Amino acid sequence: MGVLPWRRLTPSHRLLCLMCGCQEGAGDDIDALLETIEQSNGLTLQSEGCGASDNRPVLYVEHRNLNPETELKRYFGARAVLGDQRPRQRQRQFHRSTWMTIPKNTWPRFSRPGISMTLLESRDGLQYFTFEHSRDYQQIQFKFLDSVESMDPNNIVALLQMNPYHIDSLLQLSDVCRIQEDQEMARDLIERALYSFECAFHPVCSLTSGTSRLDYLRPENRAFYLAGYKHMMFLERRGCPRTALEYCRLILSLDPDSDPLCMLLLIDFLSLRSREYNFLLRLYQDWEVHRNLSQLPNFAFSVALSHFHLSQEDQTESEERERLKHKADLLLQDALIMFPGVLMPLLDLCTVQPDAAVSSHDFFGPRSQLGQTPALAELVSLYVGRTHTLWREGGVLLWLEECVREVLRRVDAKDPLVEDCQNNNIQTLSLIFKRKQRYQSAPLNIHRHVILSEIKEATSTLPLEVTTQSVMGFDPLPPLDSVVSYTRPERQSVGASNESTLSLFFRSLLPNFNLQDDLEVAQAGRELNQEVNRLMVAMRDMLANIQFQEPPREDNPDRDEGEWD
């Protein structure tokens, strides 16, 4: 390995070397020197404010970690990521500096679309903000709602041509592009929406401090949540889990108490994907007391998996490794006892055939899944569908097998924890809540998260009251107690519209039917139209899931068609 001459270092790297104690001409090994620089910059995978010893808030966000190039440069190097990008960026027409997205030359020229941010109040060290729509933007929003009701994406495209930074149109058209497998355009539209939002930020709104709040009950704020969530998922699929984790922390910090998109069901997965085990453990330790995170299947299993991975790291000392491994064993056994319905679906998605002693045992058999409440089944299906790839590793599967055998031994020995988890009575010495008591019905934010996740194992468990209502991509399952600042005016053409469509159908059944003279019937027509739309969505889903099987081949290819019955 060669050496890195002092003159080849950039001025900033020279300063960092001097701060770290490196002397000019020392001729340090290039790997050791770059590692020192990297650690000084905080670019190692296990740093970046995620350690338990960090004094910053657990949801602290760093600006540079919101840029996927930071993560990509760590993997592939700056030259491979940037290339000749910098000279072109000097000639771009955008001038505002933003953190969440980098504006592109291919975007339409930016002009303020009519969105602004207002500081509502400051209380207990927190700042409460809200986005506001100008009168002109409200009119565009009304046109957008008309375009959505038309069920023609071309109307949304036409609206975007006139208003290229209208947020809800960008979100809705992004979903259309994603369904049509145009991932690049879908991602570009979401980035454009985030750029429009960031340009409207209040001067004192901070993305990094964790003290800025946005109320999801206000419709104007929901689009920012959704744009951030969709951008986060694009980053995760793109292979930037560390950047996606930073966006997850950002969204959670906007309303950590209500957690309207239920980011707590996702943050463990992104932490494991990005190998931020210490951050996950710190979040669990800090929030377990007041949020009971151990009662969520994803945290019960992911915290155990984090301890296991930490015990396998080479830099961990032998004594600490044994302690972490023992802790991981106990946590995974407790998770399997608390949520036995996780094991068999998890093994099935991992394409692992369980041992006969496991599959035939009553504790992990079909009864463990049939005995789950609908809400718990929804959480279990979500976790298994999302994280099963993390359990496919050989070492992890062997560890899981060991813990399963130990759980069966504890079950047969009538371990008190097993009896307590299966009992409906509350016992203070064991887990705080029992399965049948805690998971009767899932709140709306969990259903909203499942819909946004698009994980088929979880969406199939959604209750009927959710699947039978219209779900709009720009505002899925809006809160029932929304704080509405302006309302959409009633359309004057509703009667004529119904007259030309539904009224003809009603007249074919009832000759005396008159839609114009009966407002109640008009309401019934609108409800019928909604039911027809729901039926069409259900039919499309059903047809998309149909799998056709080829007919069995006959041994005699020359068989006469007349032989068929």
Side-chain angles (χ1 to χ4, degrees), residues 18 57 86 128 130 156 204 220 226 236 300 305 339 360 437 446 483 532:
L18 291 174
R86 291 180 179 176
Y128 295 84
T130 185
I156 301 179
V204 300
E220 296 89 341
L226 296 172
E236 193 274 329
L305 189 56
F339 307 103
S360 61
Q437 293 175 333
I446 292 182
V483 179
V532 171

Side-chain angles (χ1 to χ4, degrees), residues 264-265 283-300 303 338-339 379 430-434 438-439:
L264 285 177
L265 298 180
L283 176 66
Y284 178 77
Q285 293 169 1
D286 291 354
W287 286 29
E288 167 63 13
V289 176
H290 65 282
R291 297 297 290 269
N292 292 323
L293 297 183
S294 60
Q295 309 306 307
L296 294 174
N298 59 308
F299 267 91
V303 169
M338 186 66 183
F339 307 103
L379 293 175
S430 186
L431 298 176
I432 299 174
F433 294 99
K434 309 304 171 286
R438 185 169 180 83
Y439 307 98

Side-chain angles (χ1 to χ4, degrees), residues 389-421:
T389 55
L390 303 178
W391 293 85
R392 284 180 175 173
E393 301 177 17
V396 175
L397 284 175
L398 290 176
W399 169 59
L400 176 62
E401 180 182 359
E402 295 174 0
C403 291
V404 168
R405 294 187 181 278
E406 179 61 21
V407 167
L408 291 181
R409 187 196 65 77
R410 294 172 60 180
V411 170
D412 295 335
K414 300 188 182 301
D415 189 289
L417 179 64
V418 179
E419 297 293 332
D420 185 59
C421 289

Side-chain angles (χ1 to χ4, degrees), residues 543 545-551:
L543 293 175
N545 293 327
I546 291 180
Q547 298 181 355
F548 296 95
Q549 297 182 351
E550 296 183 359

Side-chain angles (χ1 to χ4, degrees), residues 517-531:
D517 297 337
D518 195 345
L519 295 179
E520 293 184 358
V521 178
Q523 177 65 25
R526 287 192 292 270
E527 293 178 356
L528 177 62
N529 193 15
Q530 293 177 359
E531 293 297 330

